[in-house]
Amino acid sequence: MRKGIHPENYRLVAFKDMSNEDVFLTKSTANTNETLEVDGVEYPLIKMEISRTSHPFYTGKSKLVDTAGRIDKFKNKYAKFKK
């Protein structure tokens, strides 16, 4: 491998699925200001809306995740066309 082209700050990072509170650790270079304690060790925290534990493709369950209120915005926007 060529030297000097790869990031130097690989470290263990906690990724938290906000829809089901699942946490998993993996190496990443992602920057974050938040931390989370897992098994007595503090790790940088990255919050996610969906992960392998909540995605319908992996779980086999159809689940609606609407954290931004997109469905309500859509319904309100097009309610005037409803007869």
Side-chain angles (χ1 to χ4, degrees), residues 6-70:
H6 300 286
E8 298 291 330
N9 62 340
Y10 280 114
R11 72 219 185 278
L12 282 176
V13 176
F15 286 85
K16 183 174 183 180
D17 186 335
M18 300 308 289
S19 65
N20 64 4
E21 303 297 318
D22 183 49
V23 176
F24 61 94
L25 299 173
T26 189
K27 286 190 173 184
S28 177
T29 61
N31 293 324
T32 182
N33 294 328
E34 298 180 76
T35 59
L36 178 71
E37 188 172 318
V38 178
D39 298 329
V41 180
E42 198 167 290
Y43 296 101
L45 173 65
I46 302 291
K47 294 179 180 177
M48 303 182 323
E49 296 296 325
I50 195 162
S51 72
R52 70 189 192 296
T53 60
S54 62
H55 194 281
F57 180 80
Y58 298 107
T59 62
K61 299 176 185 173
S62 180
K63 180 178 177 184
L64 180 62
V65 178
D66 183 32
T67 58
R70 290 183 214 114

